[in-house]
Amino acid sequence: MVDRARVIAESRTVLARHARTFNLAGKFLRAEQLDEAAILYAFCRLVDDLVDEAPDITTGAHAIAEVEAELRGEAPQRPLLAVFAAQLHAHGIDRGAALELIAGVRSDAGTVALADDAELLRYCYRVAGTVGLMMCGVLGVRAPGARAFALDLGIAMQLTNICRDVAEDAARGRVYLPATRLAEVQVDGEALLRGQAPRPAIAGVVLDLLTLADRHYASAGLGMRFIPWPSRLAILVASRVYRAIGLVLRTRGGDALAGRAVAPPWLKLACTGEALLRFGLTLLPAPAPRHDPALHRHIADLPGA
């Protein structure tokens, strides 16, 4: 018998320790929904850590394969997987989204290099857009058209992560900045891995990707109306506060190699205030938003897009 209360408590601890932005946003959710969101986050964190913290590629691959087998019902489930699988069923969430996330994280094992924007956006879809799809179920979002906007929020946040973590990722042998964009500024991924890439050139690529992220944030903002109003503010706060990381990078001219960009408390407070204002605006009558299909041209064949 799985102790669900214990899994929830442990998941809440994981959320508080590793996800300050989402933990802040969670204060605007009802306790039961925060529990559900924490379970989802703990699952995503588990999958991510199995690759990032593995001593070698083989060990990481084996560990993530075990999780995939548990999720498919092909192996006995550890408590978190049992509770997470029950969550998927209870909320009518397609298990395929979780499997896509696992596929995305699996691609992080070893050296990473992305050829172009298409590969970048497909990666962002898998490791973060899928989280948006699953959150739709957790929050009770039922409108079919909502999923495209939920994907955009996940993609925008992952693009922000990539811009913030250029140096850290390079230290792990990972280059998520597309090779085509690097070539435009006469840099290659190997130079970035060696720590020899010109900072102004990398900064230019980062600024361009932040602009791409902003297009997805703007689209996600249009779709906030699909979220039931008791949960809407939490997602607005998460979106605005996370986007603030990009604002900090912009004040540096996009220099992601100058150190990890962190939004200071005053900026988070300002973003929370902005989220409150936007929340009020979403309560006013308005026509249903229409999604821009151009945003998903590279992921159009994937579920939810």
Side-chain angles (χ1 to χ4, degrees), residues 162-237:
I162 287 170
C163 291
R164 179 194 63 192
D165 298 340
V166 172
E168 294 176 29
D169 289 333
R172 291 176 178 268
R174 303 172 181 173
V175 178
Y176 296 103
L177 306 184
T180 51
R181 289 183 179 268
L182 291 173
E184 288 174 1
V185 293
Q186 300 181 326
V187 177
D188 61 42
E190 289 299 320
L192 187 55
L193 292 176
R194 294 193 303 269
Q196 297 174 342
R199 285 169 62 172
I202 298 301
V205 175
V206 166
L207 289 174
D208 286 344
L209 289 183
L210 288 174
T211 297
L212 178 60
D214 280 344
R215 291 180 61 200
H216 287 274
Y217 277 120
S219 177
L222 296 176
M224 292 293 172
R225 291 177 178 274
F226 288 117
I227 302 173
W229 72 264
S231 310
R232 193 178 302 163
L233 180 57
I235 307 307
L236 280 163
V237 169

Side-chain angles (χ1 to χ4, degrees), residues 16-40:
R17 182 181 303 152
H18 297 288
R20 286 173 292 184
T21 295
F22 298 113
N23 195 46
L24 168 64
K27 297 183 185 302
F28 299 95
L29 289 175
R30 298 194 309 272
E32 313 85 67
Q33 284 193 320
L34 180 57
D35 290 344
E36 297 289 318
I39 291 166
L40 173 55

Side-chain angles (χ1 to χ4, degrees), residues 148-173:
F149 297 99
L151 279 174
D152 284 330
L153 182 55
I155 288 170
M157 289 180 165
Q158 187 60 33
L159 287 170
T160 301
N161 275 347
I162 287 170
C163 291
R164 179 194 63 192
D165 298 340
V166 172
E168 294 176 29
D169 289 333
R172 291 176 178 268

Side-chain angles (χ1 to χ4, degrees), residues 20-265:
R20 286 173 292 184
T21 295
F22 298 113
N23 195 46
L24 168 64
K27 297 183 185 302
F28 299 95
L29 289 175
R30 298 194 309 272
E32 313 85 67
Q33 284 193 320
L34 180 57
D35 290 344
E36 297 289 318
I39 291 166
L40 173 55
Y41 179 82
F43 167 77
C44 296
R45 187 77 197 189
L46 169 67
V47 172
D48 200 47
D49 286 348
L50 288 176
V51 170
D52 283 352
E53 298 181 1
D56 54 68
I57 296 175
T58 301
T59 302
H62 178 71
I64 204 167
E66 287 184 334
V67 169
E68 184 172 11
E70 291 176 43
L71 186 60
R72 291 183 182 276
E74 298 167 353
Q77 294 175 324
R78 69 196 78 184
L80 174 59
L81 264 292
V83 172
F84 175 68
Q87 178 186 73
L88 296 182
H89 178 74
H91 294 289
I93 301 170
D94 185 354
R95 185 181 64 180
L99 294 173
E100 286 283 356
L101 183 142
I102 289 174
V105 174
R106 182 181 281 120
S107 71
D108 284 331
T111 301
V112 175
L114 302 180
D116 51 28
D117 282 10
E119 287 193 5
L120 170 65
L121 290 170
R122 292 177 77 85
Y123 171 78
C124 290
Y125 165 92
R126 287 195 164 93
V127 300
T130 54
V131 180
L133 294 179
M134 290 187 281
M135 278 297 293
C136 282
V138 168
L139 298 176
V141 179
R142 298 291 177 248
R147 298 196 300 171
F149 297 99
L151 279 174
D152 284 330
L153 182 55
I155 288 170
M157 289 180 165
Q158 187 60 33
L159 287 170
T160 301
N161 275 347
I162 287 170
C163 291
R164 179 194 63 192
D165 298 340
V166 172
E168 294 176 29
D169 289 333
R172 291 176 178 268
R174 303 172 181 173
V175 178
Y176 296 103
L177 306 184
T180 51
R181 289 183 179 268
L182 291 173
E184 288 174 1
V185 293
Q186 300 181 326
V187 177
D188 61 42
E190 289 299 320
L192 187 55
L193 292 176
R194 294 193 303 269
Q196 297 174 342
R199 285 169 62 172
I202 298 301
V205 175
V206 166
L207 289 174
D208 286 344
L209 289 183
L210 288 174
T211 297
L212 178 60
D214 280 344
R215 291 180 61 200
H216 287 274
Y217 277 120
S219 177
L222 296 176
M224 292 293 172
R225 291 177 178 274
F226 288 117
I227 302 173
W229 72 264
S231 310
R232 193 178 302 163
L233 180 57
I235 307 307
L236 280 163
V237 169
S239 174
R240 304 313 296 178
V241 172
Y242 217 82
R243 182 176 175 270
I245 296 169
L247 300 179
V248 172
L249 275 170
R250 280 197 169 94
T251 65
R252 300 179 179 179
D255 189 357
L257 300 180
R260 188 182 180 90
V262 177

